[in-house]
Amino acid sequence: MKTKASKQSHITKKVHIKKGDFVKQISGKIIDGKDTGKVLRIYPKTYRALVEGLNIISRHSKPSAAYPEGGIIKKEAPIHISNLMVLENGTATRVGRKENEKGKLQRYSVKSGEFIS
C-alpha cells in the first residue's frame, strides 16, 4: 500500500528580527539616502519584513471610496529579512541567541555581547 508523501513548500528559519526593532538595510535599492527604519510587520512564511520608509513602491490605483481621485500611491513593500541587520545603539550588529540567567534563550548583540530586549 502506497502512502502519500507530505509536501512542505517552505521550511521557515528562526527570524532574527522582531516587530518594533530598528533595522538597517544592507543591500538593495536605497531611496533618498534612507537605509534605516522600524519594523512594522514580520511575514515568517515568506521570510520578509515590512519596514517603515524602506522599499517604497508606486501602486497605480483606480478611483475608489478610499481614494476618490485614484492615481499613483507610494507605499512600503515587504523586504527580504536577509537584507536587514538589527541596529543596537546606532550600529548594525549580527544577532545570536544564548541563555540568560533564568535559563531562557534570548537574543544578544554579537558585536557588544549585550542582550537585546
Side-chain angles (χ1 to χ4, degrees), residues 66-105:
Y67 299 104
E69 297 127 17
I72 300 170
I73 300 166
K74 301 265 188 191
K75 61 185 254 184
E76 294 108 357
I79 187 169
H80 201 267
I81 289 177
S82 65
N83 298 329
L84 301 172
M85 282 185 88
V86 175
L87 286 176
E88 183 67 25
N89 299 328
T91 59
T93 181
R94 291 180 301 164
V95 175
R97 285 184 173 74
K98 64 181 176 182
E99 289 185 359
N100 59 8
E101 54 276 350
K102 295 179 182 176
K104 189 171 182 179
L105 275 180

Short mmCIF file of all heavy atoms in Angstrom, two decimals, residues 66-105:
data_model
loop_
_atom_site.label_atom_id
_atom_site.label_comp_id
_atom_site.label_asym_id
_atom_site.label_seq_id
_atom_site.Cartn_x
_atom_site.Cartn_y
_atom_site.Cartn_z
N ALA A 66 -12.01 54.74 -0.90
CA ALA A 66 -10.87 55.13 -0.06
C ALA A 66 -10.02 56.20 -0.74
O ALA A 66 -9.52 57.10 -0.08
CB ALA A 66 -10.02 53.90 0.25
N TYR A 67 -9.81 56.07 -2.06
CA TYR A 67 -9.04 57.04 -2.84
C TYR A 67 -9.89 57.54 -4.00
O TYR A 67 -9.84 56.99 -5.09
CB TYR A 67 -7.74 56.39 -3.38
CG TYR A 67 -6.83 55.89 -2.30
CD1 TYR A 67 -6.74 54.53 -2.02
CD2 TYR A 67 -6.06 56.77 -1.57
CE1 TYR A 67 -5.91 54.07 -1.03
CE2 TYR A 67 -5.22 56.32 -0.58
CZ TYR A 67 -5.15 54.97 -0.31
OH TYR A 67 -4.31 54.51 0.68
N PRO A 68 -10.70 58.61 -3.77
CA PRO A 68 -11.63 59.06 -4.82
C PRO A 68 -10.93 59.54 -6.09
O PRO A 68 -11.49 59.41 -7.18
CB PRO A 68 -12.38 60.22 -4.17
CG PRO A 68 -12.00 60.26 -2.76
CD PRO A 68 -10.82 59.37 -2.56
N GLU A 69 -9.70 60.06 -5.97
CA GLU A 69 -9.02 60.54 -7.16
C GLU A 69 -8.28 59.42 -7.89
O GLU A 69 -8.02 59.51 -9.08
CB GLU A 69 -8.00 61.63 -6.79
CG GLU A 69 -8.62 62.87 -6.18
CD GLU A 69 -7.98 63.23 -4.86
OE1 GLU A 69 -6.88 62.75 -4.57
OE2 GLU A 69 -8.61 64.00 -4.12
N GLY A 70 -7.90 58.36 -7.18
CA GLY A 70 -7.09 57.31 -7.78
C GLY A 70 -5.68 57.81 -7.98
O GLY A 70 -5.20 58.71 -7.29
N GLY A 71 -4.96 57.27 -8.95
CA GLY A 71 -3.62 57.73 -9.27
C GLY A 71 -2.53 56.85 -8.69
O GLY A 71 -2.75 55.69 -8.38
N ILE A 72 -1.35 57.43 -8.55
CA ILE A 72 -0.18 56.69 -8.08
C ILE A 72 -0.02 56.89 -6.57
O ILE A 72 0.04 58.01 -6.09
CB ILE A 72 1.09 57.16 -8.82
CG1 ILE A 72 0.91 56.93 -10.32
CG2 ILE A 72 2.32 56.43 -8.31
CD1 ILE A 72 1.98 57.56 -11.17
N ILE A 73 0.06 55.77 -5.85
CA ILE A 73 0.18 55.80 -4.39
C ILE A 73 1.53 55.19 -4.02
O ILE A 73 1.87 54.09 -4.46
CB ILE A 73 -0.95 54.99 -3.73
CG1 ILE A 73 -2.29 55.59 -4.12
CG2 ILE A 73 -0.78 54.95 -2.23
CD1 ILE A 73 -3.46 54.70 -3.82
N LYS A 74 2.32 55.90 -3.22
CA LYS A 74 3.61 55.40 -2.73
C LYS A 74 3.37 54.67 -1.41
O LYS A 74 2.71 55.19 -0.53
CB LYS A 74 4.59 56.56 -2.50
CG LYS A 74 4.86 57.39 -3.72
CD LYS A 74 6.09 56.90 -4.41
CE LYS A 74 6.45 57.88 -5.53
NZ LYS A 74 7.46 57.35 -6.38
N LYS A 75 3.91 53.44 -1.31
CA LYS A 75 3.77 52.69 -0.07
C LYS A 75 4.94 51.73 0.11
O LYS A 75 5.67 51.46 -0.84
CB LYS A 75 2.44 51.93 -0.04
CG LYS A 75 2.27 50.91 -1.14
CD LYS A 75 0.90 50.31 -1.12
CE LYS A 75 0.93 48.92 -0.58
NZ LYS A 75 -0.35 48.23 -0.61
N GLU A 76 5.11 51.24 1.34
CA GLU A 76 6.18 50.31 1.64
C GLU A 76 5.80 48.90 1.19
O GLU A 76 4.64 48.51 1.29
CB GLU A 76 6.48 50.27 3.15
CG GLU A 76 7.04 51.54 3.70
CD GLU A 76 6.06 52.29 4.57
OE1 GLU A 76 4.92 51.85 4.69
OE2 GLU A 76 6.44 53.33 5.11
N ALA A 77 6.78 48.17 0.71
CA ALA A 77 6.59 46.77 0.35
C ALA A 77 7.50 45.92 1.24
O ALA A 77 8.51 46.41 1.74
CB ALA A 77 6.94 46.56 -1.12
N PRO A 78 7.14 44.66 1.46
CA PRO A 78 8.00 43.80 2.29
C PRO A 78 9.37 43.60 1.65
O PRO A 78 9.52 43.55 0.43
CB PRO A 78 7.23 42.47 2.33
CG PRO A 78 5.83 42.83 2.03
CD PRO A 78 5.90 43.99 1.09
N ILE A 79 10.39 43.51 2.50
CA ILE A 79 11.77 43.32 2.07
C ILE A 79 12.29 42.03 2.70
O ILE A 79 11.87 41.68 3.81
CB ILE A 79 12.64 44.54 2.45
CG1 ILE A 79 14.03 44.44 1.87
CG2 ILE A 79 12.70 44.73 3.94
CD1 ILE A 79 14.83 45.72 1.98
N HIS A 80 13.16 41.32 1.99
CA HIS A 80 13.67 40.04 2.50
C HIS A 80 14.52 40.28 3.75
O HIS A 80 15.30 41.23 3.82
CB HIS A 80 14.49 39.33 1.43
CG HIS A 80 14.61 37.87 1.66
ND1 HIS A 80 15.67 37.32 2.34
CD2 HIS A 80 13.79 36.84 1.33
CE1 HIS A 80 15.50 36.01 2.42
NE2 HIS A 80 14.38 35.69 1.80
N ILE A 81 14.35 39.41 4.73
CA ILE A 81 14.99 39.59 6.03
C ILE A 81 16.51 39.47 5.95
O ILE A 81 17.23 40.08 6.74
CB ILE A 81 14.38 38.60 7.06
CG1 ILE A 81 12.97 39.05 7.38
CG2 ILE A 81 15.22 38.51 8.31
CD1 ILE A 81 12.23 38.16 8.30
N SER A 82 17.02 38.74 4.95
CA SER A 82 18.47 38.61 4.81
C SER A 82 19.12 39.94 4.42
O SER A 82 20.34 40.09 4.54
CB SER A 82 18.82 37.55 3.77
OG SER A 82 18.38 37.97 2.48
N ASN A 83 18.34 40.91 3.97
CA ASN A 83 18.87 42.23 3.60
C ASN A 83 18.82 43.22 4.75
O ASN A 83 19.07 44.41 4.55
CB ASN A 83 18.09 42.80 2.41
CG ASN A 83 18.22 41.95 1.19
OD1 ASN A 83 19.23 41.29 0.99
ND2 ASN A 83 17.20 41.93 0.36
N LEU A 84 18.49 42.77 5.95
CA LEU A 84 18.35 43.66 7.11
C LEU A 84 19.28 43.24 8.24
O LEU A 84 19.54 42.05 8.43
CB LEU A 84 16.90 43.62 7.62
CG LEU A 84 15.81 44.03 6.64
CD1 LEU A 84 14.45 43.75 7.26
CD2 LEU A 84 15.95 45.47 6.25
N MET A 85 19.78 44.24 8.99
CA MET A 85 20.55 43.99 10.20
C MET A 85 19.96 44.80 11.34
O MET A 85 19.52 45.94 11.13
CB MET A 85 22.01 44.40 10.03
CG MET A 85 22.84 43.42 9.25
SD MET A 85 24.57 43.89 9.20
CE MET A 85 25.15 43.11 10.68
N VAL A 86 19.96 44.26 12.53
CA VAL A 86 19.42 44.94 13.70
C VAL A 86 20.37 46.05 14.12
O VAL A 86 21.59 45.88 14.12
CB VAL A 86 19.21 43.93 14.86
CG1 VAL A 86 18.77 44.64 16.12
CG2 VAL A 86 18.20 42.87 14.46
N LEU A 87 19.80 47.21 14.48
CA LEU A 87 20.59 48.32 15.00
C LEU A 87 20.58 48.27 16.52
O LEU A 87 19.52 48.20 17.14
CB LEU A 87 20.01 49.67 14.54
CG LEU A 87 20.23 50.06 13.10
CD1 LEU A 87 19.51 51.36 12.81
CD2 LEU A 87 21.70 50.21 12.80
N GLU A 88 21.77 48.27 17.10
CA GLU A 88 21.91 48.28 18.56
C GLU A 88 22.79 49.48 18.92
O GLU A 88 23.96 49.52 18.55
CB GLU A 88 22.55 46.97 19.03
CG GLU A 88 22.69 46.84 20.51
CD GLU A 88 21.37 46.73 21.24
OE1 GLU A 88 20.37 46.30 20.65
OE2 GLU A 88 21.35 47.09 22.44
N ASN A 89 22.22 50.46 19.60
CA ASN A 89 22.91 51.71 19.96
C ASN A 89 23.45 52.44 18.73
O ASN A 89 24.54 52.98 18.74
CB ASN A 89 24.04 51.45 20.95
CG ASN A 89 23.53 50.85 22.24
OD1 ASN A 89 22.42 51.14 22.67
ND2 ASN A 89 24.33 50.00 22.86
N GLY A 90 22.69 52.39 17.63
CA GLY A 90 23.06 53.12 16.41
C GLY A 90 24.00 52.39 15.48
O GLY A 90 24.32 52.90 14.41
N THR A 91 24.47 51.20 15.85
CA THR A 91 25.36 50.44 14.96
C THR A 91 24.72 49.12 14.59
O THR A 91 24.03 48.49 15.40
CB THR A 91 26.72 50.16 15.63
OG1 THR A 91 26.49 49.43 16.84
CG2 THR A 91 27.44 51.45 15.96
N ALA A 92 24.95 48.69 13.35
CA ALA A 92 24.39 47.43 12.87
C ALA A 92 25.18 46.28 13.48
O ALA A 92 26.40 46.33 13.58
CB ALA A 92 24.45 47.37 11.36
N THR A 93 24.47 45.26 13.91
CA THR A 93 25.12 44.11 14.54
C THR A 93 24.42 42.82 14.14
O THR A 93 23.24 42.82 13.79
CB THR A 93 25.09 44.24 16.08
OG1 THR A 93 25.75 43.12 16.64
CG2 THR A 93 23.69 44.30 16.62
N ARG A 94 25.17 41.74 14.19
CA ARG A 94 24.56 40.43 14.00
C ARG A 94 23.86 40.03 15.29
O ARG A 94 24.18 40.54 16.36
CB ARG A 94 25.63 39.39 13.64
CG ARG A 94 26.21 39.62 12.27
CD ARG A 94 27.25 38.59 11.95
NE ARG A 94 28.31 38.66 12.95
CZ ARG A 94 29.22 37.72 13.16
NH1 ARG A 94 29.20 36.62 12.44
NH2 ARG A 94 30.14 37.86 14.07
N VAL A 95 22.93 39.09 15.17
CA VAL A 95 22.15 38.68 16.32
C VAL A 95 22.40 37.20 16.58
O VAL A 95 22.37 36.38 15.67
CB VAL A 95 20.64 38.92 16.08
CG1 VAL A 95 19.80 38.39 17.23
CG2 VAL A 95 20.37 40.40 15.88
N GLY A 96 22.66 36.87 17.85
CA GLY A 96 22.82 35.49 18.26
C GLY A 96 21.82 35.17 19.35
O GLY A 96 21.05 36.02 19.78
N ARG A 97 21.85 33.92 19.81
CA ARG A 97 20.96 33.50 20.90
C ARG A 97 21.79 32.77 21.94
O ARG A 97 22.59 31.91 21.61
CB ARG A 97 19.88 32.57 20.37
CG ARG A 97 18.82 33.28 19.60
CD ARG A 97 17.72 32.31 19.18
NE ARG A 97 16.62 33.01 18.58
CZ ARG A 97 16.64 33.53 17.37
NH1 ARG A 97 17.71 33.43 16.63
NH2 ARG A 97 15.59 34.17 16.90
N LYS A 98 21.57 33.15 23.19
CA LYS A 98 22.19 32.41 24.29
C LYS A 98 21.28 32.50 25.51
O LYS A 98 20.38 33.34 25.56
CB LYS A 98 23.60 32.92 24.60
CG LYS A 98 23.69 34.33 25.10
CD LYS A 98 25.16 34.69 25.35
CE LYS A 98 25.31 36.13 25.76
NZ LYS A 98 26.71 36.51 25.95
N GLU A 99 21.54 31.64 26.47
CA GLU A 99 20.69 31.59 27.65
C GLU A 99 21.01 32.75 28.58
O GLU A 99 22.17 33.09 28.80
CB GLU A 99 20.90 30.27 28.39
CG GLU A 99 20.34 29.07 27.66
CD GLU A 99 20.46 27.79 28.46
OE1 GLU A 99 21.00 27.83 29.59
OE2 GLU A 99 20.02 26.76 27.96
N ASN A 100 19.94 33.34 29.13
CA ASN A 100 20.14 34.38 30.14
C ASN A 100 20.25 33.72 31.51
O ASN A 100 20.28 32.48 31.62
CB ASN A 100 19.01 35.42 30.08
CG ASN A 100 17.63 34.81 30.30
OD1 ASN A 100 17.49 33.65 30.64
ND2 ASN A 100 16.60 35.60 30.08
N GLU A 101 20.30 34.52 32.57
CA GLU A 101 20.49 33.96 33.91
C GLU A 101 19.32 33.09 34.38
O GLU A 101 19.48 32.26 35.27
CB GLU A 101 20.75 35.08 34.94
CG GLU A 101 19.72 36.18 34.99
CD GLU A 101 19.93 37.28 33.95
OE1 GLU A 101 20.97 37.30 33.28
OE2 GLU A 101 19.03 38.09 33.80
N LYS A 102 18.15 33.24 33.76
CA LYS A 102 16.99 32.42 34.11
C LYS A 102 16.94 31.11 33.31
O LYS A 102 16.05 30.30 33.50
CB LYS A 102 15.70 33.21 33.88
CG LYS A 102 15.56 34.42 34.79
CD LYS A 102 14.29 35.16 34.50
CE LYS A 102 14.19 36.40 35.36
NZ LYS A 102 13.00 37.19 35.03
N GLY A 103 17.89 30.94 32.37
CA GLY A 103 17.93 29.72 31.57
C GLY A 103 17.08 29.77 30.32
O GLY A 103 16.86 28.74 29.69
N LYS A 104 16.60 30.95 29.94
CA LYS A 104 15.76 31.09 28.75
C LYS A 104 16.59 31.68 27.61
O LYS A 104 17.44 32.55 27.84
CB LYS A 104 14.59 32.02 29.07
CG LYS A 104 13.55 32.08 28.00
CD LYS A 104 12.32 32.83 28.45
CE LYS A 104 11.30 32.81 27.34
NZ LYS A 104 10.08 33.49 27.70
N LEU A 105 16.37 31.19 26.38
CA LEU A 105 17.10 31.71 25.23
C LEU A 105 16.67 33.14 24.96
O LEU A 105 15.48 33.45 24.93
CB LEU A 105 16.84 30.87 23.99
CG LEU A 105 17.69 29.63 23.79
CD1 LEU A 105 17.30 28.93 22.51
CD2 LEU A 105 19.15 29.96 23.76
#
